[in-house]
Amino acid sequence: MTVTKQKLGTLCDGQKVSLYTASNGKMSFSAIDYGCTLTGIFLPNKKGNPTDILLGFSTLHGFVDSTSCFGSIVGRFANRISGAKFSVDGKEYDLDKNENGKTTLHGGFTRLDHFVWKSEAVNSKEGVGVKFMRRSADGEQGFPGKLDVTVSYILSKDNRLTLKYTAKTDKATPVNFTNHAYFNLAGSGTVLDHELQSECQGYLEVDKDLIPTGKIISVKGTPFDFTSAKKIGAQIGETGSGYDHCFVTPAYDGKNSGLPLDAKKLVRAAVLTEPKSGRKMYVETNQEGMQVYTANGIEGIVGKYGTKYHNHEAVCLETQCFPDTPNNPKFPPCVLKPGDTYKAVTVYGFEF
């Protein structure tokens, strides 16, 4: 079990960016402190050579110039906030309208993936990896409160990559973090032949702008039914341009329990399999939502080693609270209060 740190590059403002690589002797991952970004996850192929199963970029400036959040942290509020505004304790807050001129997506224009975070290597009994830390100032992205955030990515001996997010605030504020990793277990090509099996019995109904209506719909008999394993592409044509929907995980008990979250109570949300390689990835989380996004908007992006990406060449399994929760009283509250600690956990486990 090893973790190494090396200088990756320097930004135009003089900030230095470091690259961390953690290995358990069977698989490894790499991450940079620019945006807490996972730059690669490497699994052995049938010949024992490593295959990178993440889309992204080969250079630091590829991530700097991108708005697609490849492998990066997303917050302060992941996913969408309708009307680019919300109210807390009777006060209304205005946010960036960075999607369709009326919606806030992934925190707006000042995204957390475009900051250099404090970082340090981790080598503990849980595994090896990296910890990132940052204070989001009061008013950043339009959100109230100074928010102290810690993010860690830890690889265990049994091939489990655990992502932990904690946060504390001095003012009541909505909080919702996730990682926007684009997975392709084959390493390249379409993911429409990947098989997805999900424990999610319902998904959130959305309007034309992908804003939840507040209604949870049973997946039974719909293109969103993955309760038995099936190819991602089997019914993708019935969804429009592809999947970009929040599935309801078994962590949701139908009650408006809200924050803070129990970091020890994890549920199995999904299993992703690539039949030709035999690689498998399972997702465990304490979050009530899992956004399934089939990379519907990456056409023409030039990624790693000059590869031109095409839509549906990856799938994102983003665990999070429900989208637009600040404006939807039917959903579990997402407001973190002073004195409480936000604790979100996601595990990506791998078999190969």
Side-chain angles (χ1 to χ4, degrees):
M1 302 279 285
T2 61
V3 56
T4 60
K5 175 184 177 181
Q6 65 186 83
K7 180 181 176 181
L8 181 63
T10 304
L11 301 181
C12 59
D13 61 2
Q15 293 188 90
K16 293 178 172 59
V17 177
S18 296
L19 171 72
Y20 294 81
T21 302
S23 173
N24 65 4
K26 294 169 286 187
M27 63 168 287
S28 65
F29 79 88
S30 59
I32 57 177
D33 48 16
Y34 181 79
C36 308
T37 302
L38 285 167
T39 58
I41 296 176
F42 305 90
L43 307 182
N45 60 20
K46 294 179 180 178
K47 295 183 179 181
N49 298 317
T51 297
D52 188 357
I53 63 164
L54 288 187
L55 272 61
F57 302 98
S58 301
T59 66
L60 170 59
H61 287 284
F63 291 101
V64 172
D65 296 336
S66 175
T67 59
S68 298
C69 303
F70 284 105
S72 70
I73 189 172
V74 180
R76 284 187 182 191
F77 194 91
N79 217 309
R80 295 170 173 88
I81 296 179
S82 63
K85 59 184 178 182
F86 64 90
S87 295
V88 173
D89 294 337
K91 182 177 179 179
E92 185 171 280
Y93 296 87
D94 293 317
L95 310 174
D96 295 334
K97 297 178 179 179
N98 67 316
E99 185 183 53
N100 302 326
K102 54 185 176 181
T103 302
T104 299
L105 176 64
H106 296 334
F109 295 119
T110 312
R111 293 187 175 181
L112 298 185
D113 59 311
H114 285 165
F115 290 97
V116 177
W117 293 53
K118 295 180 181 178
S119 62
E120 61 183 42
V122 175
N123 192 334
S124 67
K125 62 180 181 180
E126 285 79 21
V128 292
V130 57
K131 180 169 69 173
F132 306 101
M133 298 145 286
R134 184 175 183 273
R135 169 170 285 183
S136 177
D138 185 11
E140 187 171 82
Q141 298 180 336
F143 289 89
K146 289 183 293 187
L147 193 71
D148 290 314
V149 186
T150 300
V151 181
S152 62
Y153 303 152
I154 306 297
L155 177 64
S156 69
K157 293 180 179 179
D158 56 353
N159 304 322
R160 290 165 60 88
L161 178 57
T162 299
L163 285 58
K164 293 183 179 181
Y165 311 81
T166 63
K168 292 186 177 182
T169 183
D170 63 351
K171 294 182 183 177
T173 187
V175 179
N176 184 27
F177 289 108
T178 193
N179 183 281
H180 210 305
Y182 288 69
F183 294 100
N184 184 317
L185 295 184
S188 62
T190 182
V191 296
L192 297 183
D193 291 330
H194 281 44
E195 294 179 354
L196 180 65
Q197 188 275 323
S198 171
E199 300 298 327
C200 301
Q201 302 291 323
Y203 71 99
L204 302 186
E205 180 183 64
V206 294
D207 64 17
K208 61 182 179 60
D209 295 317
L210 299 178
I211 302 297
T213 65
K215 184 177 181 180
I216 297 176
I217 299 177
S218 170
V219 299
K220 187 176 181 179
T222 75
F224 304 93
D225 189 353
F226 290 95
T227 52
S228 295
K230 70 178 181 184
K231 291 184 178 181
I232 289 176
Q235 293 181 276
I236 196 171
E238 300 175 46
T239 68
S241 61
Y243 294 97
D244 191 3
H245 298 78
C246 187
F247 287 67
V248 180
T249 79
Y252 178 65
D253 59 6
K255 301 176 182 178
N256 284 1
S257 52
L259 300 182
L261 298 164
D262 184 351
K264 296 181 180 180
K265 185 179 180 181
L266 303 183
V267 299
R268 177 68 62 91
V271 178
L272 183 68
T273 304
E274 201 286 298
K276 290 184 179 180
S277 68
R279 295 192 184 104
K280 183 179 294 186
M281 181 181 83
Y282 56 87
V283 183
E284 296 177 355
T285 187
N286 65 343
Q287 303 280 276
E288 66 263 20
M290 179 180 69
Q291 190 82 5
V292 177
Y293 174 58
T294 47
N296 310 322
I298 66 169
E299 188 68 36
I301 293 176
V302 179
K304 293 178 178 178
Y305 312 111
T307 301
K308 182 177 287 187
Y309 292 142
H310 302 286
N311 290 344
H312 311 320
E313 287 193 353
V315 60
C316 305
L317 302 172
E318 307 162 60
T319 58
Q320 56 192 258
C321 77
F322 294 159
D324 200 33
T325 288
N327 295 313
N328 202 316
K330 295 182 180 180
F331 293 160
C334 65
V335 173
L336 180 67
K337 298 179 180 180
D340 289 337
T341 301
Y342 171 89
K343 297 178 181 179
V345 181
T346 295
V347 175
Y348 294 122
F350 298 94
E351 297 178 7
F352 42 83

